Amino acid sequence: MKAVVMAGGEGTRLRPLTTSVPKPLLPVGERPIMEHVLRLLRRHGVTETVVTVQFLAHLIEERFGDGSDLGMSLTYAHEETPLGTAGSVKNAEDELGGAPFLVISGDALTDIDLSALIRHHRERRAMVTVCLTRVPDPLEFGVTVVGEDGRIERFLEKPTWGEVFSDTVNTGIYVMEPEVLAHVPAGAPVDWSGDVLPRLIAQGAAVRGYVADAYWQDVGTLDGYRQAQTDLLDGRVDSGLPGTEILPGVWVADSAWVDPEADVRGPVVIGEHARIAAGARVHEHSVIGAHSVVEPGAHLHRAVLHPYAYAGAHTSLRGCVVGRNTTVRRSARLEEGVVVGENSRVGEDAVVSAGVVVNPGKAVGAGAVIGTDLLWDNQGSRALFGPQGVSGVVNVDLTPELAVRLAGAFATTVPHDATVTVARDHAQGSRVLATAVVSALQSSGVHVRDLGHVPVPVARREAALTDGGVLLTTTPGAADSVSLTFLDAHGVDLPQAAQRKLERLLSRAEFRRAPAGEFGALLSGEESAATALGAYTERLLKRVDTAAVRERAPKVVVDAAFGSGALVLPGLLDGLGVRAVTLNTGLDDERATETAVERRGALRYLGDVVAANHADFGVRIDPTGQRVSVVDERGREVSDETLLLLMVQLVSAERPGGAVVLPPTVSRAAEDVAARHGGRVVRTSSAPDRAIRAAEAAGTVLAADGRGGFALPENSPYHDGFAALARLTALLARRAAPLSALVEAVPRTFVRRRELATPWEAKGTVMRQVAEAAAGLEVDTTEGIRVVEPDGCWALVLPDASRAVTGVWVEAPNAAAADALLTRWADAVSRSTA
């Protein structure tokens, strides 16, 4: 006997899982539903099968081919438009050869004894035998009444509770004689239970029922899909599980890797090439799809991961379904009943509440709390852009595909024949993504000046000579992450309004594409980068008093941190005329950034080298060339706060009356230091575009961020570690005192900082309650809320822009007072989140 497997439905009730995947290919126990059906047919000797296909038919054909891998012979009957359950079989009539045949759905999980069904059909000499089963909730099925003689008396499709008259339902499995097809019109949408069978019953035809005492689960809804996974793992259906049972109920594919330190409790299925890390917990009724990754600390319970899914460290996934190629980042939580469509991203610390459906390709921002379905909006409550531009783990959050789309959106905002500068650091991830960015820009008709690896200050200056730029740098402190930053025609980070425009273009996929023959030109190569580096160094030296430096010839130890300093320092140090000892000048693509611990260790080593060489001071330039750290001649680290005040002192003394641009988070002692020389401090937001534009204002002599970033506006308004090194060297050359003496003359400050975990949805409440607590006190809202106490002490409460935390800064005249003030305001923030 041949079989007809109906596999043409769209599966709309299973969306978002079936948006781009036909329902028969949805995995149940790491096998497509239809494969379970085909294996059942083969087990009962039915090996010749016609598959009716319509929606995404090519995917089904690609997956099963001619059936030889399953020991079967498959042919396909195509429908241009849906023909219904009977019309689709009529469409396959030529393949059936005029013999009795079995009809079965390709999207139900069952172990019904098909051999017994076929015997029953033959013994009763039926024209049609309808396979029935009993269910507790028949509302979604075709209810059937069977008479004492086994004849079907009545059908009712999907009744209301008021219409339910039986718990016996139609499974959609039939055995039929070939003459039945004469009652089905060709090319028209016709159903068996709604059209053909009621007419045959009315005519007195032998339409019989067979009530099967076996497992049957319609996988037509999300609840049904989850139930099928659980039942298969529990062994309620005899359909088999893939892989090898390495522990009771733990089925693992041969190519999968499960760390011995992982906590895996059956029943679970782990697919081909999946990876379960040490410390991960994969518990009962979970299915880990092929090539999926579960990181340390992740906890999965009754979770279904489709192929290529990623569950980050310390995530919590309970009773949910995660679509193909979807990423769930660190510490995110998916509650019971959540379904996340394919190619989506759930950010760090995000919470997707119970029952929420997230459509394919959507992004739930870090820390976002999603309580309603995310269907049409592209994002959750967080923006795509953060303080470092668009950042993410390479090939997890920030993929080449996303880089192409982002670059395409950016290209759409600049003129057709514009020239855009692309630059990167030396990390492998940046190098790979830069290739994608360049291609996307060119395909939009934009000319690209590809500088390759250059320091960020050089890249910004070169972007200002074109129509904008794209920077790809390793995210500070995260070696596996890359930040993609877009620059305007001044080399400045795009303002928030422009970032939102890019997000809109991205969500709508509104990208300008140039026709063949009008692609942008590629202006690249070592010569272009060498020219940029040479021009940068020459310009920098012209703005430094090199004569004073050469006269004193200080001995300086410079640490390039294995980064871009190696490209600039030889020419710069030689031009300055210092006696230089350089460290770590080799480019190491695995050290494109550094953690706080690594930085402290490097500074201790730098201090040892300075002291051993009797140098005047030492400077460490960060791997991207933007920030500096300093040690004195004794090898002692100069703190970032002290270095800032020292630079304010030295620059203001050289250029009295100038403005110094600082963020609200640094000590108010800077005002006193600048005022000694007739200068003033301008406080501005720490957002990169605002800080740079403030540094460009007339009369500005210095801008700093309190974290080793300095901008010397006569050179450029950007943070520039090489310019800071040159300027500091020249300023110190004019001073007879050693660096340690100058540091000791800087006012001592007592600034304290603390970070407090704050759910995203609570941040607004925190700020409102902080404002209420500050009633009657002086308040500054340049950034966050800064409260000035009557004695001049101050506290600043500032929600973090990219993490679920709130920062609290305070300053007081002594350590005890600062600690007390910090405790008071930190407690105020904590009470707001309780």
Side-chain angles (χ1 to χ4, degrees), residues 153-168:
E153 298 177 349
R154 186 179 177 191
F155 282 109
L156 182 61
E157 281 296 294
K158 298 182 180 179
T160 65
W161 275 116
E163 296 173 318
V164 168
F165 48 74
S166 171
D167 65 350
T168 305

Side-chain angles (χ1 to χ4, degrees), residues 64 124 128 155 162 210 303 361 370 425 437 443 488 516 580 594 618 622 633 676 696 718 744 754 762 776-777 808:
F64 295 108
R124 301 302 191 275
V128 178
F155 282 109
Y210 171 81
I370 304 299
D425 65 13
V437 168
S443 71
D488 65 14
E594 57 190 6
D622 84 328
E633 77 283 356
R676 295 173 191 168
E696 290 180 309
Y718 324 119
E744 289 171 4
R754 184 178 299 172
L777 299 173
V808 180

Side-chain angles (χ1 to χ4, degrees), residues 40 68 109 142 206 314 353 362 364 374 392 405 408 415 464 532 574 588 597 662 756 784 801:
L40 176 67
S68 57
L109 184 66
H314 304 291
S353 302
K362 303 305 176 188
V364 177
L374 187 58
R405 295 174 65 220
D574 182 63
D588 187 341
V597 172
L662 300 174
L756 302 167

Side-chain angles (χ1 to χ4, degrees), residues 139-399:
L139 293 186
E140 292 299 318
F141 309 106
V143 175
T144 308
V145 171
V146 182
E148 291 183 2
D149 62 353
R151 287 178 178 264
I152 291 180
E153 298 177 349
R154 186 179 177 191
F155 282 109
L156 182 61
E157 281 296 294
K158 298 182 180 179
T160 65
W161 275 116
E163 296 173 318
V164 168
F165 48 74
S166 171
D167 65 350
T168 305
V169 301
N170 182 359
T171 66
I173 303 174
Y174 310 96
V175 181
M176 296 181 169
E177 295 301 310
E179 57 264 29
V180 170
L181 295 178
H183 298 270
V184 181
V190 184
D191 284 327
W192 290 120
S193 57
D195 301 308
V196 179
L197 297 184
R199 287 199 301 269
L200 291 175
I201 292 171
Q203 295 169 8
V207 178
R208 298 184 176 276
Y210 171 81
V211 181
D213 183 17
Y215 178 90
W216 177 83
Q217 174 67 53
D218 175 62
V219 192
T221 65
L222 294 172
D223 286 341
Y225 179 67
R226 283 187 287 259
Q227 188 62 51
Q229 305 278 0
T230 299
D231 291 346
L232 179 64
L233 291 171
D234 278 340
R236 294 176 186 168
V237 53
D238 181 16
S239 191
L241 292 169
T244 303
E245 190 175 17
I246 62 172
L247 293 170
V250 178
W251 295 83
V252 180
D254 292 341
S255 59
W257 180 79
V258 180
D259 192 283
E261 298 300 318
D263 179 10
V264 181
R265 304 178 189 175
V268 300
V269 172
I270 299 172
E272 297 284 346
H273 302 288
R275 183 172 66 84
I276 313 298
R281 293 179 290 168
V282 180
H283 290 174
E284 295 87 349
H285 302 118
S286 292
V287 178
I288 311 303
H291 301 276
S292 292
V293 176
V294 181
E295 297 285 24
H299 184 195
L300 281 66
H301 185 205
R302 291 182 294 107
V304 177
L305 270 58
H306 285 191
Y308 297 95
Y310 176 88
H314 304 291
T315 49
S316 175
L317 281 66
R318 299 177 61 85
C320 59
V321 181
V322 178
R324 184 184 186 91
N325 199 36
T326 283
T327 295
V328 183
R329 296 294 299 132
R330 183 184 184 90
S331 299
R333 191 167 78 244
L334 305 186
E335 301 287 10
E336 190 81 24
V338 166
V339 179
V340 183
E342 65 181 3
N343 298 312
S344 294
R345 294 185 298 113
V346 179
E348 292 188 10
D349 299 305
V351 176
V352 183
S353 302
V356 166
V357 172
V358 178
N359 261 6
K362 303 305 176 188
V364 177
V369 177
I370 304 299
T372 58
D373 290 352
L374 187 58
L375 301 177
W376 305 114
D377 294 335
N378 192 57
Q379 302 245 350
S381 63
R382 290 280 325 289
L384 180 63
F385 284 82
Q388 304 291 332
V390 180
S391 301
V393 176
V394 178
N395 277 344
V396 175
D397 300 316
L398 188 53
T399 63

